Amino acid sequence: MAKVTELCYEVTGRTTFICDFSPPRTGETDPLGQASIDADFISVAYNPGRAVRVNSAMLAAAIREQVGKDTVFTLATRDMNLLALQSLLLGAQVLGLENVAIVRGDLLSQRDRSLFPEAGGVKPTELIAAIFAMNQGLDFRGSRLRAPTDFCVGGTIDLGRGIESEARLARRKVQAGAQFFITQPIFDAQDAAEFHYAYAAAAGEAMSIPVFFGLQVLEKDGVLFSSVPDRMLRDLEVGRSGVDIALELFQAFQDAGLHNVYLVPPIRRGGARGYEAAREFLAAVGTL
């Protein structure tokens, strides 16, 4: 199994893709075949939509074993304390997993809070630091583990929350031990340039770890979590395919020197995903 930092553009000199994947709401194995996507890594999300889904680490291990794809599993701090989080991470190590991306988790609705409490008081930056310590052989109490872990740990960035504030937060995550970043989808490569400029201003140095900028394949009437330019929405309305729009955006990424890509397949109402569009996009990229 490869680490993200071993296959990123900075090491290989070729564009590297991490493809987002939603765990199914069933323990049956049939949905595993959907992860047969020609990306470098399949990134298994953590309970998207705050719904009961297959555990991200367990699914990542199953995809690696049964589909043969390198994986990243996402781990949220919202639902567990450090004892539970680090125990889960040791279990992930037993399963042979090496890549983990840390998020806070979607905010709970009022109805959610009436059904279950928010257990986690751990910030993503704190968990990144705790994993860094585990890689040195120490748990959150400072007690020595029988053996150190060897996780490649990533953080997340959402430029929609403000480029300068996210740059400052990214700096804290790098200082805590983050080794790569994944961003929410962007639709203008200039946003990436502004982020790198803001990071350098905040840190006093350029970003030193790979950033996988989000590229979403749009779909008419699909679910969006980022601000999409009106011209792209109009193109969808008149029948232009989301794959074609994504290929145009990918070329803009390439022209801007963005060669690490976090690919987000279409998200449909009810939580279904358009993985066939991701396959079509990647096949087209392979012919460019």
Side-chain angles (χ1 to χ4, degrees), residues 199-214:
Y199 181 89
E205 60 183 4
M207 175 69 73
S208 60
I209 65 174
V211 181
F212 288 77
F213 285 96

Side-chain angles (χ1 to χ4, degrees), residues 123-146:
K123 296 178 180 178
T125 304
E126 293 170 339
L127 181 54
I128 290 170
I131 297 173
F132 179 84
M134 292 179 75
N135 285 347
Q136 312 308 308
L138 299 173
D139 69 12
F140 71 96
R141 288 192 177 100
S143 299
R144 187 154 295 280
L145 300 168
R146 291 287 296 274

Side-chain angles (χ1 to χ4, degrees), residues 135-170:
N135 285 347
Q136 312 308 308
L138 299 173
D139 69 12
F140 71 96
R141 288 192 177 100
S143 299
R144 187 154 295 280
L145 300 168
R146 291 287 296 274
T149 57
D150 187 26
F151 288 109
C152 181
V153 58
T156 56
I157 296 168
D158 184 354
L159 298 184
R161 292 190 297 222
I163 289 176
E164 292 187 357
S165 60
E166 285 296 288
R168 292 192 294 269
L169 179 57

Side-chain angles (χ1 to χ4, degrees), residues 47-270:
N47 293 82
R50 304 181 302 279
V52 175
R53 296 176 182 269
V54 177
N55 175 271
S56 58
M58 294 181 184
L59 182 59
I63 290 172
R64 183 174 65 87
E65 291 300 319
Q66 298 186 36
V67 184
K69 301 296 299 183
D70 283 321
T71 57
V72 179
F73 72 97
T74 304
L75 183 57
T77 62
R78 183 193 62 210
D79 301 330
M80 290 175 275
N81 59 30
L82 273 174
L83 175 62
L85 287 163
Q86 291 197 325
S87 296
L88 188 151
L89 284 159
L90 288 182
Q93 184 182 37
V94 170
L95 295 173
L97 301 179
E98 293 181 307
N99 300 302
V100 57
I102 304 303
V103 299
R104 183 188 181 279
D106 297 332
L107 293 176
L108 299 182
S109 66
Q110 185 173 348
R111 180 175 183 274
D112 289 333
R113 289 193 295 271
S114 71
L115 295 171
F116 63 95
E118 183 169 323
V122 184
K123 296 178 180 178
T125 304
E126 293 170 339
L127 181 54
I128 290 170
I131 297 173
F132 179 84
M134 292 179 75
N135 285 347
Q136 312 308 308
L138 299 173
D139 69 12
F140 71 96
R141 288 192 177 100
S143 299
R144 187 154 295 280
L145 300 168
R146 291 287 296 274
T149 57
D150 187 26
F151 288 109
C152 181
V153 58
T156 56
I157 296 168
D158 184 354
L159 298 184
R161 292 190 297 222
I163 289 176
E164 292 187 357
S165 60
E166 285 296 288
R168 292 192 294 269
L169 179 57
R171 175 59 175 172
R172 294 195 293 273
K173 290 179 179 180
V174 169
Q175 291 174 320
Q179 295 164 279
F180 68 94
F181 283 113
I182 291 172
T183 84
Q184 287 288 340
I186 63 172
F187 295 91
D188 186 344
Q190 183 60 32
D191 290 346
E194 292 180 9
F195 168 76
H196 279 296
Y197 178 82
Y199 181 89
E205 60 183 4
M207 175 69 73
S208 60
I209 65 174
V211 181
F212 288 77
F213 285 96
L215 193 162
Q216 183 172 356
V217 183
L218 300 172
E219 191 171 79
K220 187 178 179 180
D221 299 323
V223 177
L224 303 173
F225 295 104
S226 303
S227 179
V228 180
D230 288 341
R231 65 176 182 81
M232 292 185 181
L233 295 176
R234 288 194 297 269
D235 284 351
L236 286 173
E237 286 295 325
V238 299
R240 188 182 182 193
S241 78
V243 170
D244 189 46
I245 295 171
L247 287 169
E248 178 183 308
L249 183 56
F250 173 72
Q251 188 59 60
F253 274 32
Q254 294 285 286
D255 294 343
L258 308 181
H259 300 294
N260 293 312
V261 178
Y262 175 54
L263 181 64
V264 181
I267 305 169
R268 295 167 181 160
R269 305 292 173 182

